[in-house]
Amino acid sequence: MSRPLPRPTAETQPFWDGCAAGVVRYQCCQSCGTVQRVPRALCATCQSDALAWRDAGGFGHVLSHTTVHRAPTPAFRGDVPYVIALVDMDEGFRLMVNVAGGTAAPLAIGSRVRIGFHEVEGVSLPHAEVAA
Ligand SMILES: [Zn+2]
């Protein structure tokens, strides 16, 4: 069974293009300066469509994390257990990503992490690495 992979939309395509280039990108409103936690067609604060994409520095802190012991689909059976983290990025947006090193990673709520990238079936996916 093949893995489910991201399906970029018009709102998320710049993010995935950034991943392919090894850069985390985020959406910011040019009218009011709001950093969108989730990419949208309009600003969540002022409803402006004057949105721009910026390159992030690639660092953040773990808001929460969980260990997956039961694969959600047969495609992930070989991966369990694995760790997923919600990361609040320094620029003010949020990512949900796998954690490099899985259960062996020294991860805790508040851990400083760096976003890295790995390729799955030709798609560059972001992951969190615990920063030293
Ligand atoms: Zn705005």
Side-chain angles (χ1 to χ4, degrees):
M1 175 177 239
S2 65
R3 290 169 177 254
L5 293 169
R7 294 182 189 164
T9 65
E11 286 81 27
T12 64
Q13 186 66 56
F15 173 83
W16 294 111
D17 290 345
C19 289
V23 177
V24 179
R25 292 190 177 136
Y26 64 101
Q27 199 179 42
C28 186
C29 178
Q30 293 180 300
S31 293
C32 74
T34 294
V35 172
Q36 305 252 69
R37 286 190 182 261
V38 177
R40 295 183 169 94
L42 300 174
C43 172
T45 300
C46 74
Q47 287 72 51
S48 170
D49 65 354
L51 300 167
W53 285 86
R54 295 182 180 163
D55 293 351
F59 286 88
H61 289 91
V62 173
L63 172 68
S64 186
H65 62 92
T66 188
T67 301
V68 177
H69 293 277
R70 184 174 176 177
T73 73
F76 293 97
R77 274 194 193 131
D79 296 341
V80 291
Y82 59 90
V83 179
I84 297 173
L86 269 180
V87 178
D88 277 341
M89 300 296 291
D90 291 351
E91 292 80 5
F93 63 101
R94 186 170 288 163
L95 291 178
M96 180 183 285
V97 290
N98 282 42
V99 175
T103 55
L107 192 73
I109 291 173
S111 290
R112 183 89 171 138
V113 293
R114 172 191 170 277
I115 303 301
F117 299 91
H118 63 283
E119 193 172 307
V120 174
E121 298 177 22
V123 178
S124 181
L125 300 175
H127 63 255
E129 302 166 353
V130 178

